């Protein structure tokens, strides 16, 4: 929830949907409903709080590679915040 809150508070991102499957994420990108998807695995928050290594998956619409690169940079910065 904290990670989602960082994206929600950022002026660079708008949360347009929350999906619970990889298919839902792919569909959002393909349909143009999203140009960036952050896949947060179950247990992510627990692992972070326990100081355990964890990861998230970031998928971007690469049809505009410059925008995708900028978005990936902002995304990396938000994920890295603690």
């Amino acid at each position: 929830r904290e990670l989602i809150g960082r994206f929600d508070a950022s002026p660079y991102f708008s949360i347009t949907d929350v999906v619970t499957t990889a298919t839902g994420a792919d569909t959002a990108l393909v349909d143009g409903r999203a140009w960036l998807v952050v896949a947060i695995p179950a247990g992510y928050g627990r692992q972070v709080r326990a100081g355990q290594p964890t990861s998230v998956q970031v998928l971007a619409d690469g049809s505009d590679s410059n925008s995708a690169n900028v978005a990936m940079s902002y995304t990396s910065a938000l994920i890295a915040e603690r």
Side-chain angles (χ1 to χ4, degrees):
R1 292 181 190 167
E2 179 186 336
L3 181 55
I4 293 170
R6 285 186 231 155
F7 281 92
D8 198 32
S10 170
Y12 303 109
F13 296 99
S14 297
I15 296 175
T16 59
D17 200 357
V18 175
V19 296
T20 58
T21 65
T23 302
D26 288 339
T27 301
L29 287 170
V30 170
D31 291 351
R33 290 182 287 123
W35 50 270
L36 184 85
V37 172
V38 179
I40 304 169
Y44 173 83
R46 184 176 6 90
Q47 288 179 298
V48 168
R49 285 188 299 278
Q52 297 173 339
T54 189
S55 61
V56 297
Q57 181 180 26
V58 181
L59 307 167
D61 177 350
S63 61
D64 179 351
S65 62
N66 289 333
S67 294
N69 283 330
V70 170
M72 294 295 275
S73 294
Y74 283 129
T75 299
S76 295
L78 284 176
I79 291 170
E81 284 182 12
R82 287 252 159 49

